[in-house]
Amino acid sequence: MARRWVSALLALLLCPMLRGQDAYDEWKGLYHRYQQNVTASTPAPRGYKPFYISHIGRHGSRYPVSPGYVGNGLVPLAKADSLGLLTAEGKRLLGGFLQLDSASRGVYGLITGLGGSEQQAIAMRMASRYSRVFTGKDRDSIACCSTHKQRAILSMTNFAAALASCAPRMHIGFVAGEKYYDVLCREDKAAPGLKGGSRKADKAMAGQFDFDSFYSRIFTDPVKARSCFRSDRLMVETCVTNGSVADYMGITDILRSLTPEEFRIASSIYNAKQFYQHCGSAEQGEWRMHIMDPLVLDFVEKADAAVAGNRIAADLRFSHDVGLMPFFSLIGLQGYDKRLTFDEVNDYWNSTYMMPMASNLQLVFYRGRKGDVLVKVLFNEGESSIPALGPGPFYPWSTLRAYLINTIQ
């Protein structure tokens, strides 16, 4: 019985996440639960064996990041309610925010049970697919590094615990702190340049979103209600972002306050704002991407040490969307390799698939019989590429290394 239960659990954890379950899923963006990128599995050339994995991942699905974030919707709606300005639909929306706040107290910013399961499943699939990496005689250690944020630390420990159960002979070491945030994320260095994205989003929302229709469902007097909140764009955006998080927590009233078309419009504008602020914006220039230069060096230096023959089987890093997006843009990962204007973003890039919760990059190193090294590129566990270097998913380490160094010159 116990053996059957374990087999069933493994089957659940090893299966890919399903995509596009309802009309809202396509544009949940950064707040979508993890989606595994399911692709074919190209075998390595004959004679090449995996020996090392270099990884970085976003934390798993989390609670709202802070009370203030939920407060962007809760506070103005509560004020409008006190003034008798909420319709029945508005009261349901307020009730959704109250539920979300209640469910998040004491755990704001931390990962949910779902987020822990996402990390465990990724680790178990890694161990299953690349068991040779974790059973070789020459390597007996795994190095885990996280930012100081608790959601990243908890993601790291969930990942490592699952990996340890599959690779019990491995010694797993942990480090975390602000020192590592300054390599793995560095969003604080970008803060002064992020306001432009909000201005772009304000303009786009004013031209594309039907506020009158939305407000007429929520407020008995939309004109008076506008005095309760700071901006039209923020009022709708908080329903998009908090509603997407609440949805995977089983709270649906926030998300469903928007029609599918309203959600698509608002979410696509938020999507474009995120790309403008954190990716390869044609208008912003490349300054945002180059904030992540130290992370490129970290990948190169640790891989060099592994190739040279240290005892590390895997370097595992745990960070945040605002660290991964500019890093992926800097290295030109497939899907992040275009330089797009704000108006072009939604034709090419959707964070629902490009940066859901627990997004990850895995570089799997293979050594050939003559000692040469190939690297397989995996994004969200599916085969990917660096288009500037050709189709992939395999590249000689010498070629990929030179390319990575060149990106920060």
Side-chain angles (χ1 to χ4, degrees), residues 165-280:
S165 70
C166 300
R169 63 177 290 272
M170 286 284 157
H171 168 74
I172 303 180
F174 300 89
V175 295
E178 293 183 23
K179 171 182 178 179
Y180 305 104
Y181 179 91
D182 200 41
V183 174
L184 299 175
C185 189
R186 299 171 62 82
E187 184 190 16
D188 55 324
K189 306 293 190 297
L194 300 183
K195 292 182 179 179
S198 294
R199 290 193 293 269
K200 286 274 190 180
D202 284 336
K203 183 178 179 180
M205 288 284 279
Q208 299 176 39
F209 191 85
D210 188 349
F211 289 102
D212 290 339
S213 177
F214 176 62
Y215 289 157
S216 67
R217 300 196 308 272
I218 304 303
F219 303 115
T220 58
D221 189 332
V223 175
K224 287 184 179 179
R226 273 186 163 94
S227 67
C228 298
F229 50 85
R230 286 184 289 166
S231 78
D232 288 334
R233 190 261 306 168
L234 186 59
M235 186 69 244
V236 173
E237 191 175 282
T238 193
C239 293
V240 167
T241 57
N242 285 299
S244 296
V245 170
D247 198 52
Y248 62 63
M249 294 172 58
I251 301 167
T252 61
D253 284 339
I254 301 174
L255 190 69
R256 306 296 163 155
S257 69
L258 296 160
T259 67
E261 180 63 8
E262 288 171 342
F263 185 81
R264 183 195 65 78
I265 292 170
S267 296
S268 65
I269 292 170
Y270 185 77
N271 183 70
K273 184 179 83 165
Q274 294 302 311
F275 189 96
Y276 180 93
Q277 291 178 326
H278 300 295
C279 299

Side-chain angles (χ1 to χ4, degrees), residues 123-182:
M124 293 180 76
R125 288 191 290 264
M126 177 188 286
S128 174
R129 291 169 180 165
Y130 301 103
S131 59
R132 189 183 186 92
V133 171
F134 304 105
T135 57
K137 295 180 180 179
D138 297 332
R139 296 176 189 270
D140 58 11
S141 299
I142 296 169
C144 297
C145 180
S146 168
T147 73
H148 62 293
K149 303 289 186 179
Q150 288 178 310
R151 55 188 172 275
I153 295 172
L154 287 170
S155 293
M156 174 175 67
T157 53
N158 272 274
F159 193 108
L163 193 55
S165 70
C166 300
R169 63 177 290 272
M170 286 284 157
H171 168 74
I172 303 180
F174 300 89
V175 295
E178 293 183 23
K179 171 182 178 179
Y180 305 104
Y181 179 91
D182 200 41

Side-chain angles (χ1 to χ4, degrees), residues 218-372:
I218 304 303
F219 303 115
T220 58
D221 189 332
V223 175
K224 287 184 179 179
R226 273 186 163 94
S227 67
C228 298
F229 50 85
R230 286 184 289 166
S231 78
D232 288 334
R233 190 261 306 168
L234 186 59
M235 186 69 244
V236 173
E237 191 175 282
T238 193
C239 293
V240 167
T241 57
N242 285 299
S244 296
V245 170
D247 198 52
Y248 62 63
M249 294 172 58
I251 301 167
T252 61
D253 284 339
I254 301 174
L255 190 69
R256 306 296 163 155
S257 69
L258 296 160
T259 67
E261 180 63 8
E262 288 171 342
F263 185 81
R264 183 195 65 78
I265 292 170
S267 296
S268 65
I269 292 170
Y270 185 77
N271 183 70
K273 184 179 83 165
Q274 294 302 311
F275 189 96
Y276 180 93
Q277 291 178 326
H278 300 295
C279 299
S281 169
E283 296 150 309
Q284 285 258 75
E286 297 191 352
W287 67 270
R288 178 66 180 98
M289 301 186 313
H290 282 291
I291 288 174
M292 301 311 298
D293 285 359
L295 183 55
V296 175
L297 284 175
D298 186 73
F299 265 79
V300 171
E301 290 170 358
K302 289 179 177 176
D304 280 347
V307 170
N310 67 8
R311 306 286 300 181
I312 302 295
D315 281 297
L316 309 176
R317 307 165 184 84
F318 297 86
S319 184
H320 309 267
D321 54 350
V322 291
L324 269 62
M325 287 188 287
F327 173 63
F328 292 164
S329 298
L330 178 58
I331 67 173
L333 183 68
Q334 182 182 358
Y336 283 85
D337 51 305
K338 294 182 182 294
R339 303 293 173 256
L340 304 172
T341 67
F342 186 94
D343 293 335
E344 292 173 329
V345 170
N346 293 313
D347 291 331
Y348 297 97
W349 189 84
N350 185 339
S351 54
T352 296
Y353 305 110
M354 300 310 297
M355 190 48 61
M357 298 292 184
S359 290
N360 58 90
L361 173 71
Q362 298 175 26
L363 302 182
V364 184
F365 285 66
Y366 293 73
R367 197 185 301 275
R369 291 170 180 166
K370 296 181 179 180
D372 57 317

